[in-house]
Amino acid sequence: MQGTESNAHRAGNVGAQREAMLLESLSQRVLWRGDIAFWRKLFLGAACATIRFEARQLTLLAGDAPLAGIHRGELERLAQRVGGDVQIASRADMVLSFSEPDIALEAAVTLQRLSEGRRVRIAVSTVLCMVACFEVDGREHRVVVGPEMEEAEAALESAAAGTILVSAETHEQLGGDFADSVRDGVVTTEMDDQGVTQACITLAPHRSAAMSTFAGLGRF
């Protein structure tokens, strides 16, 4: 009986330590947003009681800004139109999260088309993430915390200008749908004994309907 209680106590300590680490990661991520008033509402106000963490498989899209001088409001509208959520980036111009890899890849292609004239880089990776869920001012937020965000942004550094770099996990998740998403692009793959390690997409240069899709941004 004593051993069972001791194990339960240790498990409780581990759980408390893990939650403390996740809260610290969330705090750091929110501070990167640069909005101290938002941080105070979340950690010093009633919103703190709404914080919970859940593990979810997401596809993260890290990229250079498709438009020069794009601000957060425009980025949020852009993300909504391509089916993603804006995450708080620390190194990349933007990180968007998607529940499905096919939607993320379609968004990457659309963003490349939108950025025609700017040779932007995009990296897409599918990972199991820890997501902080909370409410501030009646609005629900979902913020990816932990090393997965850093890894997604680091992957962007390996992408060449004007290309979309796709991780092995995303490529595997898409299977036969991968080719359907890049019909007008050149795809190169790197492989080892286990299969594809990453894929790189270079789109054929041409204007597309994607440009008019985002007329609401007021840029066209």
Side-chain angles (χ1 to χ4, degrees):
M1 182 70 175
Q2 185 176 0
T4 301
E5 291 177 351
S6 179
N7 289 339
H9 180 69
R10 285 196 296 269
N13 285 341
V14 170
Q17 290 172 2
R18 177 166 174 75
E19 181 165 349
M21 291 175 61
L22 289 171
L23 285 170
E24 176 61 26
S25 181
L26 174 60
S27 173
Q28 186 64 57
R29 185 65 55 180
V30 171
L31 286 172
W32 273 324
R33 176 175 168 160
D35 186 344
I36 297 300
F38 185 88
W39 185 95
R40 289 174 65 90
K41 285 182 180 180
L42 178 57
F43 288 99
L44 302 181
C48 188
T50 71
I51 298 173
R52 69 183 193 280
F53 296 96
E54 60 182 39
R56 292 189 60 193
Q57 180 172 279
L58 297 173
T59 298
L60 303 178
L61 184 161
D64 298 325
L67 300 169
I70 191 169
H71 58 69
R72 184 175 179 86
E74 292 176 323
L75 185 57
E76 288 180 346
R77 293 196 294 274
L78 179 57
Q80 185 177 25
R81 294 194 182 192
V82 297
D85 295 311
V86 176
Q87 296 298 328
I88 304 172
S90 60
R91 292 153 60 185
D93 290 343
M94 65 175 184
V95 177
L96 310 182
S97 62
F98 299 82
S99 58
E100 300 295 337
D102 57 331
I103 299 176
L105 187 57
E106 289 174 7
V109 171
T110 299
L111 290 171
Q112 277 284 16
R113 289 291 179 218
L114 179 63
S115 65
E116 191 162 323
R118 290 168 56 85
R119 292 178 55 78
V120 304
R121 305 164 300 159
I122 295 176
V124 180
S125 54
T126 300
V127 290
L128 182 64
C129 303
M130 189 60 69
V131 182
C133 308
F134 54 89
E135 292 184 12
V136 174
D137 294 333
R139 179 183 174 185
E140 185 173 356
H141 297 263
R142 293 179 177 272
V143 177
V144 177
V145 297
E148 294 79 18
M149 279 290 292
E150 284 79 10
E151 291 166 7
E153 294 184 83
L156 183 62
E157 298 174 4
S158 300
T163 66
I164 301 169
L165 191 65
V166 181
S167 74
E169 293 78 11
T170 303
H171 187 277
E172 182 179 4
Q173 287 281 325
L174 289 168
D177 293 335
F178 182 80
D180 294 337
S181 299
V182 290
R183 289 186 297 271
D184 58 348
V186 176
V187 178
T188 58
T189 55
E190 295 184 12
M191 304 184 68
D192 61 16
D193 294 340
Q194 305 300 317
V196 174
T197 57
Q198 68 178 21
C200 182
I201 303 167
T202 305
L203 299 179
H206 71 270
R207 306 285 289 183
S208 82
M211 302 298 286
S212 61
T213 300
F214 299 100
L217 287 173
R219 296 287 180 132
F220 307 107

